[in-house]
């Protein structure tokens, strides 16, 4: 009994320690037409090797707790590639940004955070400057390149939890998500990834900067949260485009899961742009064997209409859940955002109301024919039940969403 108590205490301590270490992009990989990673590894701006004697995760990450001052999105680019390589890729290529989950996926119940641990937005620009601020980019640049200051565009949005990744927990099967994914994949750990496509109209020379922006607020109530954002940036060395643009990626069943992109991410480049807005969560491949070799990415925008009620069935964390979101027309939900600065003082501001109706809504990510678009817009008028599932973590795997 005593040994079991000690083991459980050590497991909890390890989990808390892991979740205090946050996440950043560690590798940039090119995806070939079979879905496999190919070619030399590229690295982000400000890369630090985890095995280096002076490694410190606070130096590797870029953390934003207060957006009021419009802090910069990227670490300084000067000499960023003096000792490491940029990824080389061409217009239209598919790319994966690789990161560790650091306990946020496998221990989601430790703090109340968004569904699937928040949304990662990927932005790209040919005109990056060190002074580019978070407010210039996040929720400003759009998929058609016309949003905000027009310097860049939204390339993809995916959930932080890609549906398959987990970190090495030393075979501590007291952690349910780690146990399930370890037994499924048989690997000590599996890095997470965010996949996107480079614009096809890029030049075939020069550099293109991509920005990985993880929005991970701490939820304090149905109407309040505290800002917490992590960013990583990487420069990509542009080269000649492959023969035949819009080359179809046909995922091979022989690809090891740790060495390949995620078919559902390539098929749906924009999964969600906010709570209740975007596509229903697609099923991330749970193993190489279950990937559909005929699954192909698409960049064709689709039109959709808003229904007063909708339901979706999805596979996540090893089970199938049916989620029903019901909204009455013309109902308004008001949001407030709380940002916390380094002095731990809170400021509060009310954002514009979001009215929902039975007509289609605009999302913060504009789309055009060159960018995948949300296929099902779901209006949300009350988030209390949804927040319950998001806040408890375990409830969304074993409980009933509707309770």
């Amino acid at each position: 009994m005593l040994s079991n108590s000690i083991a459980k205490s050590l497991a909890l301590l390890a989990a808390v320690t892991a979740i205090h270490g946050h996440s950043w992009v560690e590798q940039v990989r090119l995806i070939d037409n079979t879905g496999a990673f190919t070619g030399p590894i590229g690295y982000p701006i400000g890369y630090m090797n985890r095995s280096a004697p002076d490694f410190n995760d606070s130096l590797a990450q870029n953390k934003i707790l207060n957006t009021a001052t419009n802090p910069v999105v990227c670490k300084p680019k000067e000499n960023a590639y003096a000792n490491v390589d940029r990824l080389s890729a061409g217009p239209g290529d598919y790319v994966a940004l690789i990161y560790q989950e650091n306990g946020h996926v496998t221990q989601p119940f430790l703090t109340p955070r968004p569904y699937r641990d928040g949304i990662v937005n990927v932005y790209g620009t040919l005109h990056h400057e060190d002074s580019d601020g978070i407010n210039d980019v996040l929720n400003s640049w759009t998929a058609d390149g016309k949003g905000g200051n027009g310097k860049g565009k939204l390339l993809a949005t995916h959930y932080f939890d890609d549906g398959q990744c987990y970190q090495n927990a030393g075979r501590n099967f007291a952690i349910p998500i780690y146990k399930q994914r370890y037994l499924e994949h048989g690997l000590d750990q599996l890095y997470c990834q965010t996949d996107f496509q480079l614009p096809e109209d890029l030049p075939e020379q020069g550099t293109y900067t991509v920005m990985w922006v993880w929005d991970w607020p701490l939820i304090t109530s149905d109407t309040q949260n505290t800002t917490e954002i992590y960013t990583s940036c990487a420069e990509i060395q542009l080269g000649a485009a492959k023969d035949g643009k819009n080359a179809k990626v046909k995922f091979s069943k022989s690809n090891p899961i740790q060495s390949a992109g995620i078919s559902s991410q390539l098929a749906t480049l924009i999964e969600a742009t906010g709570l209740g807005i975007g596509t229903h969560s697609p099923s991330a491949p749970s193993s190489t064997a279950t990937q559909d070799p005929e699954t192909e990415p698409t960049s064709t925008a689709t039109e959709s209409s808003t229904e007063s009620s909708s339901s979706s069935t999805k596979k996540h964390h090893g089970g199938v859940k049916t989620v029903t979101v019901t909204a009455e027309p013309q109902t308004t939900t008001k949001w407030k955002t709380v940002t916390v600065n380094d002095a731990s003082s809170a400021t509060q501001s009310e954002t514009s109301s979001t009215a929902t109706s039975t007509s289609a809504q605009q999302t913060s990510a504009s789309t055009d024919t060159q960018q995948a678009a949300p296929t099902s817009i779901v209006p949300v008028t009350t988030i209390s039940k949804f927040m319950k599932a998001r806040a408890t973590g375990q409830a969304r795997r074993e409980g009933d969403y509707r309770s």
Side-chain angles (χ1 to χ4, degrees):
M1 289 295 292
L2 180 61
S3 60
N4 287 340
S5 298
I6 293 174
K8 290 180 180 178
S9 298
L10 290 174
L12 179 59
L13 177 62
V16 172
T17 301
I19 208 163
H20 279 297
H22 298 295
S23 300
W24 57 92
V25 171
E26 303 195 36
Q27 294 182 357
V28 188
R29 301 302 308 267
L30 184 64
I31 300 173
D32 69 15
N33 59 8
T34 71
F37 296 155
T38 186
I41 297 171
Y43 295 93
I45 295 171
Y47 171 76
M48 291 192 70
N49 192 322
R50 285 181 176 270
S51 63
D54 59 345
F55 174 80
N56 186 312
D57 63 358
S58 65
L59 297 177
Q61 67 193 18
N62 189 46
K63 182 177 182 178
I64 298 173
L65 297 179
N66 186 353
T67 61
T69 59
N70 198 24
V72 296
V73 180
C74 303
K75 292 180 176 293
K77 59 184 179 179
E78 185 177 3
N79 297 322
Y81 290 96
N83 299 309
V84 295
D85 295 326
R86 299 176 178 88
L87 180 75
S88 294
D93 280 342
Y94 291 94
V95 176
L97 301 173
I98 310 297
Y99 56 96
Q100 288 196 1
E101 54 104 354
N102 279 329
H104 304 295
V105 170
T106 51
Q107 298 287 331
F109 47 82
L110 293 182
T111 57
R113 301 288 181 166
Y115 174 68
R116 284 177 69 178
D117 311 297
I119 291 174
V120 175
N121 297 275
V122 181
Y123 298 94
T125 180
L126 286 167
H127 310 290
H128 169 57
E129 299 174 273
D130 284 346
S131 60
D132 290 335
I134 189 67
N135 298 330
D136 302 324
V137 177
L138 180 60
N139 300 324
S140 292
W141 290 355
T142 53
D144 59 9
K146 297 178 181 179
N149 57 22
K151 286 177 56 176
K153 62 169 57 179
L154 176 68
L155 303 179
T157 69
H158 298 296
Y159 296 104
F160 180 88
D161 177 3
D162 65 10
Q164 62 184 35
C165 63
Y166 58 96
Q167 197 149 338
N168 191 343
R171 301 191 182 183
N172 179 3
F173 293 151
I175 303 174
I177 299 176
Y178 166 77
K179 176 182 178 181
Q180 180 260 318
R181 295 187 182 186
Y182 174 84
L183 294 177
E184 182 174 4
H185 303 303
L187 303 170
D188 287 337
Q189 66 180 356
L190 181 59
Y191 275 57
C192 306
Q193 60 183 285
T194 304
D195 299 345
F196 67 96
Q197 184 181 22
L198 290 171
E200 295 183 343
D201 59 357
L202 291 177
E204 296 186 348
Q205 59 182 356
T207 59
Y208 187 69
T209 302
V210 294
M211 303 170 178
W212 180 91
V213 182
W214 174 31
D215 195 1
W216 193 57
L218 176 67
I219 298 166
T220 56
S221 74
D222 271 11
T223 57
Q224 294 181 329
N225 63 67
T226 57
T227 298
E228 195 166 345
I229 298 170
Y230 296 86
T231 69
S232 292
C233 300
E235 291 183 358
I236 294 177
Q237 186 67 50
L238 296 173
K242 291 185 174 62
D243 293 336
K245 292 186 177 181
N246 278 321
K248 296 177 179 179
V249 176
K250 294 186 177 182
F251 275 77
S252 170
K253 291 183 178 181
S254 64
N255 288 337
I257 195 169
Q258 72 273 24
S259 302
I262 297 176
S263 60
S264 64
Q265 289 197 11
L266 297 191
T268 308
L269 292 175
I270 295 181
E271 292 187 48
T273 56
L275 176 60
I277 303 173
T279 60
H280 297 310
S281 307
S283 298
S286 56
S287 66
T288 309
T290 62
Q291 291 179 350
D292 182 356
E294 296 303 317
T295 300
E296 300 169 357
T298 177
S299 60
T300 303
T302 58
E303 295 182 357
S304 62
S305 61
T306 303
E307 303 293 339
S308 59
S309 65
S310 65
S311 64
S312 65
T313 301
K314 56 193 167 190
K315 181 178 179 183
H316 183 54
H317 297 313
V320 176
K321 299 285 186 182
T322 299
V323 182
T324 301
V325 180
T326 302
E328 294 298 329
Q330 305 302 329
T331 304
T332 299
T333 300
K334 291 186 177 180
W335 286 81
K336 292 182 179 178
T337 301
V338 176
T339 59
V340 179
N341 57 27
D342 293 336
S344 297
S345 61
T347 60
Q348 190 170 356
S349 62
E350 183 168 336
T351 61
S352 59
S353 301
T354 302
T356 63
S357 69
T358 54
S359 60
Q361 292 180 323
Q362 291 281 345
T363 71
S364 61
S366 302
T367 57
D368 58 16
T369 56
Q370 296 301 317
Q371 177 66 53
T375 57
S376 179
I377 307 299
V378 183
V380 175
T381 59
T382 176
I383 62 170
S384 58
K385 294 182 180 180
F386 188 60
M387 291 281 288
K388 178 182 178 182
R390 299 199 307 174
T392 60
Q394 196 68 19
R396 72 174 183 253
R397 286 177 294 282
E398 298 177 355
D400 189 341
Y401 280 88
R402 297 164 292 178
S403 62

